[in-house]
Amino acid sequence: MRIVPHDQDGGAFFIAVIHKLSLLNENQVIKVRKTENLLSKNRTVKLQEQCQHRIVSEVLDDNKLLDEQTKLSVANQTSKDDNLTEVKMASDVEYSQTESGDRSRRMDKLDYQHKWKGIDPVLFFKDEAVIKNIVSFFGIEESFSLEGHLVTRSTDNARRIYYVSKAVQDILELNIQVGEQIKIASLGVKMFERHRSKDGCSCAYRLSYEGLSLLFPYMRKRILHASPVDFQHLLQYRTINFARFADARFGEEAASMMPGCCVVVLREGYQIADSIASDPSPIAIVCWRGRATMNVLVSPADRKELLEYRFGIKAFKVEDEKSNKNIDALAEESL
């Protein structure tokens, strides 16, 4: 099955399902093992050659440095000022050691960059303090475990956190054990994103609309229920002042909530909150409770789709993608 890009006659991502029809016989097993042993030997020989080449090059570099130091020391010994000679030699030795250390660090950095050239590594997100803060802030039930299922593609600052299943988690752990031989282009569902808002939010991460359907059934905090009119207005206008909601009670609930990310759920008619919580597929969006406004953190394309699907509004004009390219910036626009 072709995934992306599906409208072009060129390279693309594909999903292939491979079915095993029968077990291997003894002769086939022997051939497979011989092939595996041969490949393993070839990899070992190649690795040894690379290591030897690197060691030889380092030895040559060290010998070159020693020759230069020897020449400098002989020249300095002919100088009349012995004190200046000692200072000169000491500084040369210190410089050569610093240069050697810098070269080693550069080599390690180049090796790391070459290893992940064109693709970001997959790292397990193990910051327990941050995970506990997210669980507490959104009221995530213990039955939906986050520990061991969160990964990031950032080496220094986890701006985006993805959720992976147990099967994918096992594959990642095995891949790490064998030296990360598999380079992964994409995985998981984007669940959390770091925000830069200064509204005084106690949680450093906000929810992602992509992972909302997976996480929402296990959330018990930061949930508001809007009438169809207010829900439609949020999708259309993206930012609404608390006092301008059609349902005054909804505006009061939004105003009384602590600043930060929240989820707004569509309340159908006289539907009560308990029935919405038990609904396996409610219509919900991610929002940001600002200082005096409620801001929708959903892309224009997704908002348009919801308006057409639920309210039958097809005349909605998608806003300029340049001004909405970074949805994370919407949280900073709160007044």
Side-chain angles (χ1 to χ4, degrees):
M1 180 173 61
R2 182 171 181 154
I3 305 302
V4 168
H6 55 278
D7 294 330
Q8 299 177 5
D9 186 14
F13 288 98
F14 288 83
I15 292 179
V17 179
I18 301 175
H19 295 279
K20 186 174 182 179
L21 302 179
S22 62
L23 297 175
L24 296 176
N25 56 43
E26 294 183 359
N27 294 332
Q28 290 175 323
V29 171
I30 294 174
K31 289 182 180 180
V32 169
R33 289 178 178 174
K34 288 182 178 180
T35 304
E36 290 178 348
N37 293 334
L38 181 60
L39 291 174
S40 178
K41 291 180 180 179
N42 291 338
R43 292 195 192 98
T44 303
V45 171
K46 187 175 181 180
L47 182 61
Q48 291 176 349
E49 291 177 352
Q50 292 176 352
C51 294
Q52 291 175 356
H53 176 73
R54 185 170 180 176
I55 293 173
V56 170
S57 62
E58 290 179 353
V59 170
L60 292 176
D61 291 339
D62 293 339
N63 291 335
K64 187 176 180 180
L65 287 173
L66 289 173
D67 292 341
E68 292 179 355
Q69 293 173 14
T70 303
K71 292 179 182 179
L72 288 173
S73 63
V74 171
N76 290 330
Q77 286 177 358
T78 60
S79 176
K80 296 180 181 181
D81 194 345
D82 296 337
N83 293 330
L84 291 177
T85 301
E86 293 177 359
V87 172
K88 177 72 175 176
M89 291 178 64
S91 62
D92 288 340
V93 172
E94 182 179 357
Y95 173 78
S96 64
Q97 292 175 349
T98 304
E99 183 70 16
S100 177
D102 292 342
R103 185 174 68 252
S104 177
R105 285 192 292 270
R106 287 198 301 271
M107 289 288 292
D108 294 338
K109 185 177 181 180
L110 289 174
D111 289 344
Y112 183 83
Q113 291 177 347
H114 178 73
K115 180 179 180 180
W116 299 107
K117 186 176 181 180
I119 189 170
D120 294 326
V122 179
L123 307 172
F124 280 103
F125 188 80
K126 299 181 179 180
D127 194 329
E128 295 184 1
V130 174
I131 295 176
K132 290 181 179 178
N133 180 246
I134 292 175
V135 171
S136 175
F137 187 76
F138 294 105
I140 302 174
E141 293 183 349
E142 295 181 357
S143 57
F144 189 83
S145 177
L146 295 179
E147 296 184 4
H149 292 273
L150 299 181
V151 298
T152 181
R153 308 303 298 263
S154 306
T155 56
D156 52 354
N157 185 15
R159 182 173 181 180
R160 297 181 180 87
I161 301 177
Y162 301 84
Y163 182 88
V164 297
S165 64
K166 182 63 170 62
V168 176
Q169 176 189 355
D170 295 339
I171 294 175
L172 291 177
E173 292 177 346
L174 180 60
N175 190 39
I176 293 175
Q177 294 177 6
V178 298
E180 297 178 297
Q181 297 182 13
I182 300 177
K183 301 300 182 290
I184 302 173
S186 179
L187 82 166
V189 178
K190 186 168 62 175
M191 188 73 73
F192 306 104
E193 294 187 69
R194 182 182 291 275
H195 65 78
R196 301 186 298 272
S197 176
K198 299 179 181 180
D199 289 333
C201 179
S202 60
C203 184
Y205 287 86
R206 65 176 179 84
L207 297 175
S208 172
Y209 180 66
E210 297 178 18
L212 180 60
S213 60
L214 183 64
L215 183 64
F216 179 75
Y218 304 93
M219 287 181 56
R220 295 297 174 261
K221 296 181 181 179
R222 311 292 300 178
I223 300 175
L224 295 173
H225 304 92
S227 65
V229 175
D230 288 328
F231 196 88
Q232 177 183 335
H233 288 170
L234 281 170
L235 293 176
Q236 284 182 303
Y237 305 116
R238 194 190 70 183
T239 300
I240 299 181
N241 191 284
F242 298 148
R244 294 185 177 274
F245 284 111
D247 185 355
R249 183 178 178 182
F250 176 74
E252 293 174 358
E253 291 178 352
S256 63
M257 177 180 285
M258 293 294 293
C261 183
C262 62
V263 176
V264 176
V265 185
L266 173 62
R267 184 179 68 242
E268 301 281 1
Y270 296 99
Q271 191 178 14
I272 60 177
D274 292 339
S275 62
I276 295 176
S278 60
D279 186 357
S281 58
I283 299 177
I285 55 177
V286 178
C287 295
W288 183 270
R289 191 280 192 193
R291 298 176 185 175
T293 59
M294 184 69 71
N295 305 301
V296 179
L297 301 180
V298 181
S299 67
D302 288 331
R303 285 159 49 208
K304 179 182 178 182
E305 182 180 358
L306 284 172
L307 282 169
E308 293 180 355
Y309 166 73
R310 175 58 186 83
F311 300 99
I313 300 176
K314 296 185 179 181
F316 174 70
K317 182 180 180 181
V318 178
E319 300 173 15
D320 186 8
E321 292 292 345
K322 293 182 180 179
S323 62
N324 293 280
K325 187 175 182 180
N326 187 3
I327 302 300
D328 187 39
L330 296 179
E332 301 175 2
E333 297 177 4
S334 56
L335 302 177

